Every structure is written in C-alpha cells, then in structure tokens.
Amino acid sequence: MKKVIVVGATGLVGSKIIEILEQKKFPIKEIKFLASKNSAGEKIKFNDEIYEVKEVLLNEFEDYDIALFAAGSSVSEKFARNVAKMGVRVIDNSSFYRMERDVPLIVPEVNPDAIGKNDYLIANPNCSTIQCMAPLYQIEKNYGIKRVVYSTYQSVSGSGLKGLRDLDESLSEFYPYPIKNNALPHIDIFLENGYTKEEMKMVNETRKILGIKDLPITATTVRIPVRFGHAVSINVETKTDFNIEDVKSLMDNKLGMELKDDLEKNIYPMPIEAEGKDPIYVGRIRRDFSVKYGLNLWTVADNIRKGAALNAVQIAQLIERKGY
C-alpha cells in the first residue's frame, strides 16, 4: 500500500491519472491532490470520498511514497528533483527531465529494468513516442532496426484544454491558425535545425528508450482536427528480412498492443475507436518495397490515456511490483 500524491490533479492528464488509479485499484493507503493556487480548494471524488485540492508546496510531499506529476515543465522544474530528494518516487509527465542522463525514461512494457532501486525521479515519455515503442521494440528484438521515419497525426487534446477549445469553438487562440478543417505541421516551437521540438522529442526519446544512441530517425509531427487519439505512421528499415505474418504476430496482444489489420473487412486502427481505451492499436502492416528490408505500420492510441496517464500509473505499478 502506497501513499500517493497527484500533482496537477485538476488538469486533463491529472484527472485521467486519478480515474485510472481508481479503475486499476492501485493499492493506496493515502492519497492527496495538488494543483495551482488558483485550483486549490476544488473538490475531487476518489473511491467514494471527497478530497480538497491543495496548492503545490514542498512540505505537502513529506512522508509520501509516490508523486505523479502532471502539471507541466515549470512545476516539475521547481519541485520534482527536490521531492525526489525527500525519498518520494516522482513520476514526471513533463518533458523537462526526459533526456537527463540520470533519469530513466520508461515505457513499462519495453524497458522496465531501466528503473533501479535508487531511481527516485522517473520520466514519462512523450505521448507520440509511447505508442511507437512497443512495436519498434518487437521489431528491433527480432530483426534489428536500421532507420525509422515517423509521420504523426496528433489530436488537439495533446495541447490540453486550450487545444480542445480551439477545435470545439472554431477558434485560433491557442494555435497560430484555425485547427478546424485544417492540419498544422507545427507542434511545439521551431528549432534552429528546422524541426519542431515535438519532432526532436520523438527522435531523442526513441533512441534513449530503445538504448540505441545513434539510431537514424526523422520525424514530421502534425496537429489534426481530432479531439482524442494520436496516429503515427512508422516506416522502418530493418537489418534482416522478415515475414509480414510474423510481424503481425509480434503485435497481436503483445506488450499492450492490439492488432487491427484485416483489409478485406476495412479493419485498421482509428482514433475514434481508441478514445478511452488502454491498448496501442497497430495495423496497415505492409512491406515497403522502396528499400531492401522496408516495413510500414500504423499505430493509434488515446494520447491522454495511454500516451500519458496510463503509462504513468503503469510505472507506479512497476515500482510497487519491484518493492521499491
């Protein structure tokens, strides 16, 4: 039984973490909900009890076991390391610590052994990265990976409540252009190399999670007018040849994946079916004939659930199983 804190409890990801902790019956001895000063005083129902949200302050973390951070990079920068130094296992959903050498970046189905007994600060990967790791791990393990090309189709909920509002109310307040009836090849800020920060997150996080520092990867990330559910086209060049049916079997009910690939019945993964669901859906698995050992696949997952909250809770479950 653990004493658990959810930071950013009133936000989109924080509220989903709370929902999943309840659904998965995580063994909780005591729970506390923290948020910004503006949200302090709000009420949250959890396991038929009502809790009052408190402001994020360092002394609130004393004597707790696990803190799930879902309040953004600025809050994580200010509190996460200090909380970890207090002996609390911090699972951080922000991007702030992901590429720090001493911080494990974890997808529990793929690299659970990367968490050691002395790791008190653990990073949750980017939502689009998470849904690509299980299929790529299976491909790397069985055929080796020579190169990866990502093309993403990301829902507005990846931008939080402001992104949802822009779509639902036909605004362009958060995004630089209207998102309704549009597609924006612009997620996060542009960097000097011409890529967006989101694109480089996918490149760098994939290398870290798979443990292949020099893996050639490129990415184009696009925001589309869908409320929930990211889709990613993954093009992989493998080191050895493969059989398509064997590849499909590697994705079929393995490592949190569910195969949806029956072209005769028009069965393939779609965001509308992934919303509110746990699995990473994989389909459109086919050979890329433009290179010697080329492979195409299409993944879809609920970016707020699997791509953020569920992965964080699964890390907490992993810590519990390890007895840390």
Side-chain angles (χ1 to χ4, degrees):
M1 301 285 281
K2 298 291 186 183
K3 296 174 72 175
V4 176
I5 286 183
V6 180
V7 184
T10 58
L12 200 58
V13 175
S15 58
K16 187 60 67 174
I17 286 173
I18 294 165
E19 178 186 315
I20 294 171
L21 285 170
E22 190 170 21
Q23 289 174 346
K24 303 297 183 184
K25 295 180 171 56
F26 187 80
I28 291 172
K29 182 179 180 182
E30 188 178 318
I31 194 163
K32 185 187 289 187
F33 303 115
L34 305 181
S36 68
K37 190 174 183 178
N38 291 338
S39 297
E42 290 188 24
K43 300 294 193 294
I44 289 176
K45 187 179 181 181
F46 181 80
N47 285 342
D48 297 323
E49 290 189 37
I50 303 297
Y51 295 81
E52 183 174 309
V53 176
K54 297 183 179 182
E55 183 183 354
V56 186
L57 297 169
L58 198 58
N59 66 312
E60 295 287 354
F61 295 89
E62 290 177 5
D63 299 322
Y64 275 77
D65 301 307
I66 294 175
L68 297 121
F69 272 66
S73 291
S74 60
V75 175
S76 295
E77 179 184 7
K78 186 175 180 180
F79 290 101
R81 274 208 186 272
N82 289 327
V83 172
K85 288 175 183 176
M86 295 167 64
V88 182
R89 302 275 176 183
V90 173
I91 301 166
D92 182 26
N93 196 68
S94 83
S95 62
F96 192 80
Y97 292 104
R98 289 176 187 158
M99 298 313 299
E100 294 289 323
R101 189 171 295 180
D102 65 332
V103 179
L105 185 63
I106 300 297
V107 176
E109 297 94 337
V110 172
N111 62 338
D113 294 338
I115 300 178
K117 191 173 183 180
N118 296 320
D119 290 316
Y120 282 85
L121 178 54
I122 300 153
N124 208 32
N126 182 49
C127 45
S128 295
T129 306
I130 286 172
Q131 71 186 67
C132 300
M133 289 304 94
L136 286 179
Y137 174 77
Q138 291 287 69
I139 293 165
E140 164 63 18
K141 190 169 67 171
N142 287 275
Y143 311 108
I145 295 177
K146 189 174 179 181
R147 181 175 185 251
V148 177
V149 179
Y150 288 129
S151 301
T152 77
Y153 307 76
Q154 296 179 223
S155 67
V156 296
S157 56
S159 303
L161 294 171
K162 292 178 181 178
L164 284 165
R165 185 168 179 262
D166 263 21
L167 177 60
D168 293 344
E169 300 182 22
S170 301
L171 303 173
S172 57
E173 292 182 355
F174 180 76
Y175 299 120
Y177 300 97
I179 187 62
K180 187 176 181 181
N181 300 321
N182 203 5
L184 304 178
H186 177 186
I187 301 178
D188 213 320
I189 61 172
F190 285 106
L191 304 173
E192 288 184 3
N193 63 3
Y195 285 77
T196 63
K197 194 174 179 182
E198 180 83 357
E199 289 160 353
M200 294 312 300
K201 284 177 190 175
M202 293 194 71
V203 171
N204 294 324
E205 291 176 22
T206 298
R207 289 171 176 161
K208 182 171 180 177
I209 294 165
L210 294 180
I212 311 172
K213 293 180 181 179
D214 57 351
L215 180 63
I217 308 172
T218 189
T220 301
T221 59
V222 181
R223 189 74 69 193
I224 61 169
V226 167
R227 298 188 85 247
F228 291 92
H230 288 356
V232 184
S233 168
I234 311 175
N235 178 267
V236 187
E237 189 175 354
T238 61
K239 291 180 179 177
T240 60
D241 203 2
F242 52 83
N243 176 279
I244 288 294
E245 292 306 315
D246 290 341
V247 173
K248 289 181 179 180
S249 71
L250 295 174
M251 313 294 164
D252 193 6
N253 294 313
K254 308 279 197 326
L255 305 182
M257 293 180 285
E258 186 174 314
L259 184 68
K260 294 180 75 70
D261 197 327
D262 188 338
L263 302 187
E264 290 185 2
K265 297 179 180 178
N266 291 335
I267 293 174
Y268 34 74
M270 296 182 292
I272 199 170
E273 293 180 334
E275 184 176 343
K277 308 285 180 55
D278 287 353
I280 299 162
Y281 296 101
V282 186
R284 294 299 319 277
I285 299 172
R286 62 204 188 278
R287 191 175 287 272
D288 171 7
F289 296 102
S290 70
V291 291
K292 187 175 181 181
Y293 302 135
L295 180 66
N296 288 304
L297 56 150
W298 173 257
T299 72
V300 173
D302 184 324
N303 53 295
I304 299 298
R305 189 174 179 90
K306 175 56 186 170
L310 178 60
N311 198 79
V313 173
Q314 287 177 312
I315 293 172
Q317 292 173 322
L318 178 59
I319 289 168
E320 172 77 4
R321 287 197 302 272
K322 285 175 175 275
Y324 294 164

